[in-house]
Amino acid sequence: MAVLVLTGTAWCAEATSKSGRPTVSSNAAVPKRAVNADALLRLGDLYSDAGNAHRDLAKALDFYRQAADAGSATGKVRVGVMRLNGEGTKLDVEGGLSLIEEVASSGDGDALAVLGGLYSHADSGIVPLDLPRAYDYYQRAGAVGNTTGLLRSGEMLARGEGTAKDVEAGRAAVRSLADKGNVYALVSLGDLLSGGDAGPLDIDGAEAAYAKAAALGRTDALLLLGDLVGSGRGRKPDYVRAFEFYDKAAEAGVPLGRLRAAQLTFRGRGTQQDVEGGLATIKSIADTGDPEALTFLGDAFSGAISAPVASNPEEALGYYQRAADAGASHAMVRLGEMTAHGLGTPRDVEAGRSIVRRIADSGNAAALISLGDLLREPQSGNVDGVGAVAAYERAAGLDETEALVRLGDFYSDGNTVAVDLPKALDYYRQAAEKGSAIGAVRAGAMIARGHGTTQDVETGRAMVKKATESGEGEAYVVMGDLLTRGDAGKPDVSAAIKQYDEAASLGWTQGLIRLGDLYRDRKLLPSNGRRAVGYYRQAAEAGDPYGLLILGTTLSESQLRSVGRPADGVAALREAEAKGLDDAVVALADAMLYGMGTKRNPKGAAALLEQASANGNIAATRHLISYYRDGRRFGRSTYFNADMDRAQELFIEVSPRLSRGDLLVEEMLFSAANSRRNYQSIVDRMPELSMESRQSLIRMMRTTHQNAYIYLAQHRLKEIGFYTGPINGVLTGATTRAVNRYCASKSMQSACRYGPMSSQAGDVLSYAF
């Protein structure tokens, strides 16, 4: 235990006895000891220290009071803070504030800085948030030389918190302290240069600031360096360097360094993968009650992040609950989401939304976005589009660029309101202007394809290409798509392969799946079954169940020559189903219906879908509707008889849980099934759908309503100048030639050599919509 030496104590001794004790003459006056306010403050600090086994807040308060009575302004401030917090005494917010304000009124920098912290909620949430007032206090503190005031007022100025935003002036104020070796200012400068909320990114400058802070002994700066280089902010992630920084932090005794290094080891990023070893370390840290470790495990077992472990909603829920109990807001939000979706716990939409709303109401931007998502998805209860937009807009007001992206999605996906592509593009552009790589990717893709604006392939591609420099995996996947689909300029398959490879190197399994598709589909490359299967397996081994789904579908349907067996495909589909992928049961039912890799059993196929539907699997319900609405035939063989009454019954049951877009698609498919006279009404309603939904509808029509497919193709090709014949839904030579001309205009001639009814031609035609 530390021993405090009280200095400055006055002894008035004229003599000292042999025992060493001072002696005082009998007729001498006994002098009073001088009070040492600094020593009293130190005693107060000692007894208020949370790390002191003998902590005693009442004693701490008494020492602070004594220091205040001795004239210490600091003592008076600390008494005020303890009253505010109810520490060692009865909670007294008004009295505590009054004491601190009394000291601050004299121009005391420390007191002014404390008030700035209180009103900015940097120190607590006891008093109402008042950023303008906080900024004023910090600025006044800085004016009298208080370092905290200088630092915090600079940060707020750079971010526009409580005052007009002035990035350069704010950064300059923080830099002036950083240049003097202030480690707090160095860390703050790194944050301002890399956060994206205080001006343009300067990743090199941020790294230099963090490195200097680390060199001066701020070991947590090593964590910040790992986060910076590993996140890919402004550049491609460097997991090797990130692991090195985390490892150094762990060696320096920073607990989070050990956790982050274990997370990278578990996922095989920047170091040799060791799933069991990494997971064991993370679990051992979680067992101490560490909220970040618990949250990570929740994310891994819930499938919220790509991880090499099987999904286990119940286990994930347990980890989230423990993390939430430890105060982790992200875990609390995930608990709400899982409750609303019925994952690992009985489904309770209102309870789930309520959990998320409580966090959102505190001003948590991530919770506001989650709330918006829950309010607009029908599977989470009654849709509230107005409430969703309000939540997203409030998050956007907190400088959360992801909220702007969500608003763009809201108006582009057609799932909640009618599609408004110009409005969606505007939100994506706003997000891009604020530094969002995803906003830039989505805006660039729309511009390259002419969605919501005049098509400008060069500008759109350049925007997406620029976004790849940030290391954003989605940017590489979208760039590859722009180079392969033919709807955004001439295809360049070699360049696209490089983009997909880069995405895969960043852990984006979509890159691997896209590469498999290139070698499977024969639209741009000759078929290469071994390479296609290899890529799908890599995606599956990386933890993406869609890799198993596509591998299983491809093998069960014998899409690849001399590679794999249909039975192998069924086994992969069963594995995907076991991992919780809803779509897997759809492919399994088809395999059973047609006898692909398993015994033919149409009744069993329908029963499989019925059971999945009863368990809440919407994909299974929609596929079952398709069985009954359209029947299943191949050549002269009938595999499943249509039953329109049963189809309608199922549709009515599932309708409340369908998004607006999916509902429209199902209604159009029913229109096509009922009468050829309805084909034009489908054409008229197409603009109500998102681009993705239109393309999905076209692909479904090709296999279930071929005359409707031809009608829609004729209408669209006539609109864009490739077809001049009648629009009647009849496949004629003129229609075939129009399809071929369209494919040639997109440099996709090879895709249409299999005829207009082929899946390859259907894919290319779908992009015309």
Side-chain angles (χ1 to χ4, degrees):
M1 183 176 179
V3 177
L4 292 178
V5 179
L6 303 184
T7 59
T9 302
W11 288 95
C12 185
E14 294 183 0
T16 302
S17 70
K18 291 181 181 180
S19 66
R21 296 174 183 173
T23 61
V24 181
S25 61
S26 60
N27 60 354
V30 178
K32 292 182 179 180
R33 290 196 309 177
V35 177
N36 188 321
D38 184 60
L40 291 166
L41 286 173
R42 294 190 183 202
L43 284 166
D45 292 345
L46 176 68
Y47 282 106
S48 66
D49 184 1
N52 183 0
H54 301 285
R55 189 184 192 209
D56 188 328
L57 293 177
K59 281 187 177 181
L61 179 64
D62 185 56
F63 281 120
Y64 289 146
R65 278 175 175 157
Q66 292 182 53
D69 292 343
S72 169
T74 301
K76 186 175 288 189
V77 169
R78 292 185 187 172
V79 170
V81 170
M82 293 191 77
R83 284 188 182 179
L84 274 169
N85 293 310
E87 295 176 334
T89 185
K90 183 180 178 182
L91 180 70
D92 182 4
V93 175
E94 185 177 344
L97 271 178
S98 178
L99 274 177
I100 302 169
E101 288 170 348
E102 180 185 334
V103 179
S105 65
S106 67
D108 184 277
D110 290 341
L112 289 164
V114 167
L115 289 170
L118 290 170
Y119 284 103
S120 67
H121 287 188
D123 297 328
S124 73
I126 294 171
V127 299
L129 182 71
D130 189 336
L131 292 181
R133 192 170 185 179
Y135 177 74
D136 178 64
Y137 279 128
Y138 279 137
Q139 191 177 46
R140 287 164 58 192
V144 296
N146 180 273
T147 303
T148 300
L150 286 167
L151 177 60
R152 289 290 289 125
S153 61
E155 292 170 344
M156 294 182 76
L157 183 61
R159 294 189 173 102
E161 298 173 340
T163 186
K165 190 170 186 174
D166 189 333
V167 172
E168 289 307 313
R171 284 182 173 182
V174 175
R175 187 178 281 109
S176 67
L177 290 172
D179 289 344
K180 296 175 183 177
N182 183 302
V183 291
Y184 301 101
L186 284 164
V187 169
S188 175
L189 181 61
D191 294 345
L192 292 176
L193 296 176
S194 63
D197 59 347
L201 297 178
D202 180 358
I203 302 303
D204 290 335
E207 186 174 338
Y210 289 146
K212 187 174 179 180
L216 291 172
R218 183 80 185 264
T219 53
D220 62 332
L222 292 166
L223 282 176
L224 295 171
L225 282 165
D227 292 345
L228 182 67
V229 302
S231 67
R233 269 175 283 170
R235 61 178 62 160
K236 183 179 177 180
D238 188 338
Y239 295 121
V240 173
R241 291 185 69 210
F243 181 82
E244 291 173 353
F245 284 126
Y246 292 146
D247 201 38
K248 287 179 181 178
E251 291 174 359
V254 181
L256 272 179
R258 180 168 172 254
L259 173 61
R260 301 271 171 83
Q263 290 169 345
L264 290 180
T265 301
F266 170 63
R267 302 174 80 179
R269 293 182 174 179
T271 187
Q272 181 69 37
Q273 186 171 27
D274 180 357
V275 174
E276 291 185 5
L279 187 59
T281 299
I282 297 166
K283 285 185 174 181
S284 70
I285 297 171
D287 287 341
T288 68
D290 184 274
E292 185 165 338
L294 289 164
T295 301
F296 179 85
L297 289 170
D299 287 344
F301 285 100
S302 70
I305 60 173
S306 176
V309 290
S311 176
N312 188 325
E314 291 80 8
E315 189 170 358
L317 196 75
Y319 285 123
Y320 282 139
Q321 185 63 67
R322 290 167 59 192
D325 292 342
S329 59
H330 170 74
M332 183 63 77
V333 169
R334 289 289 293 134
L335 275 175
E337 293 171 346
M338 293 184 75
T339 301
H341 294 147
L343 299 173
T345 186
R347 184 170 179 261
D348 190 332
V349 172
E350 287 309 311
R353 285 180 174 179
S354 178
I355 291 170
V356 175
R357 186 177 279 108
R358 284 200 301 272
I359 308 298
D361 286 346
S362 69
N364 184 298
L368 284 163
I369 290 173
S370 175
L371 179 62
D373 293 345
L374 290 176
L375 291 175
R376 70 181 297 241
E377 57 184 26
Q379 59 266 40
S380 293
N382 294 329
V383 172
D384 180 2
V386 173
V389 169
Y392 293 145
E393 287 180 341
R394 187 178 172 199
L398 295 171
D399 269 341
E400 179 57 66
T401 58
E402 187 179 344
L404 292 168
V405 173
R406 284 293 207 286
L407 285 164
D409 295 344
F410 185 87
Y411 290 105
S412 69
D413 63 23
N415 286 336
T416 312
V417 295
V419 171
D420 187 335
L421 293 181
K423 198 167 187 176
L425 179 58
D426 180 60
Y427 277 117
Y428 290 142
R429 278 175 163 156
Q430 287 183 52
E433 289 167 2
K434 288 180 175 289
S436 168
I438 297 298
V441 168
R442 298 193 184 169
M446 290 185 74
I447 293 167
R449 295 186 173 117
H451 294 170
T453 187
T454 302
Q455 185 172 24
D456 187 339
V457 172
E458 185 176 348
T459 298
R461 282 185 173 183
M463 284 182 69
V464 178
K465 181 65 176 175
K466 178 69 176 176
T468 63
E469 297 173 7
S470 70
E472 174 56 55
E474 182 178 324
Y476 287 104
V477 172
V478 172
M479 192 69 224
D481 292 347
L482 294 178
L483 293 167
T484 56
R485 294 188 2 162
D487 61 343
K490 185 177 180 179
D492 185 340
V493 68
S494 297
I497 288 172
K498 291 179 181 178
Q499 298 299 314
Y500 292 143
D501 275 333
E502 285 288 345
S505 74
L506 295 170
W508 274 69
T509 50
Q510 294 96 321
L512 294 168
I513 291 172
R514 293 290 205 282
L515 287 166
D517 292 345
L518 282 176
Y519 287 105
R520 179 196 64 180
D521 293 342
R522 297 177 291 170
K523 286 187 289 193
L524 292 169
L525 291 172
S527 177
N528 188 322
R530 293 190 181 279
R531 298 195 74 171
V533 166
Y535 282 122
Y536 295 147
R537 288 193 190 280
Q538 284 184 57
E541 290 166 1
D544 189 341
Y546 279 98
L548 283 170
L549 173 65
I550 298 172
L551 174 65
T553 302
T554 299
L555 293 179
S556 67
E557 295 180 1
S558 302
Q559 296 180 27
L560 301 171
R561 298 174 184 174
S562 305
V563 178
R565 299 175 305 133
D568 296 332
V570 171
L573 292 173
R574 295 196 186 283
E575 187 178 348
E577 182 187 28
K579 290 182 179 294
L581 190 64
D582 284 353
D583 290 340
V585 74
V586 170
L588 279 169
D590 281 350
M592 191 178 294
L593 178 71
Y594 295 110
M596 301 181 299
T598 187
K599 184 179 179 181
R600 183 184 167 196
N601 185 355
K603 289 184 179 179
L608 184 65
L609 292 174
E610 290 275 10
Q611 182 60 54
S613 176
N615 292 333
N617 186 328
I618 294 176
T621 306
R622 293 184 68 188
H623 204 61
L624 188 61
I625 290 170
S626 176
Y627 274 12
Y628 283 112
R629 180 185 57 222
D630 310 320
R632 287 295 185 270
R633 295 171 296 280
F634 188 77
R636 295 183 178 180
S637 300
T638 297
Y639 291 84
F640 199 91
N641 290 313
D643 183 342
M644 188 61 75
D645 290 340
R646 178 58 178 152
Q648 288 282 3
E649 180 182 313
L650 286 166
F651 178 58
I652 291 170
E653 289 176 4
V654 80
S655 292
R657 292 188 289 145
L658 294 180
S659 70
R660 177 185 174 279
D662 288 343
L663 191 65
L664 287 174
V665 166
E666 290 298 329
E667 288 175 351
M668 291 180 183
L669 289 168
F670 271 105
S671 293
N674 285 327
S675 174
R676 292 193 179 196
R677 293 192 297 270
N678 294 330
Y679 292 171
Q680 185 56 44
S681 69
I682 297 172
V683 170
D684 295 338
R685 299 189 73 183
M686 286 288 275
E688 299 179 50
L689 296 174
S690 69
M691 296 299 173
E692 291 75 15
S693 292
R694 294 181 204 179
Q695 292 162 9
S696 176
L697 176 66
I698 295 301
R699 294 186 182 102
M700 285 189 280
M701 289 285 193
R702 183 186 65 81
T703 58
T704 59
H705 303 290
Q706 296 180 350
N707 293 112
Y709 166 73
I710 293 299
Y711 187 97
L712 293 169
Q714 290 170 336
H715 187 277
R716 182 58 180 154
L717 290 173
K718 193 163 206 173
E719 277 187 332
I720 56 180
F722 288 91
Y723 179 66
T724 57
I727 301 174
N728 55 15
V730 177
L731 180 59
T732 61
T735 304
T736 299
R737 288 190 292 274
V739 171
N740 290 337
R741 282 195 294 272
Y742 177 75
C743 285
S745 74
K746 302 300 179 184
S747 300
M748 299 286 285
Q749 297 95 320
S750 60
C752 291
R753 65 185 176 184
Y754 305 102
M757 300 307 297
S758 67
S759 62
Q760 294 90 341
D763 282 347
V764 176
L765 267 179
S766 73
Y767 302 143
F769 292 84

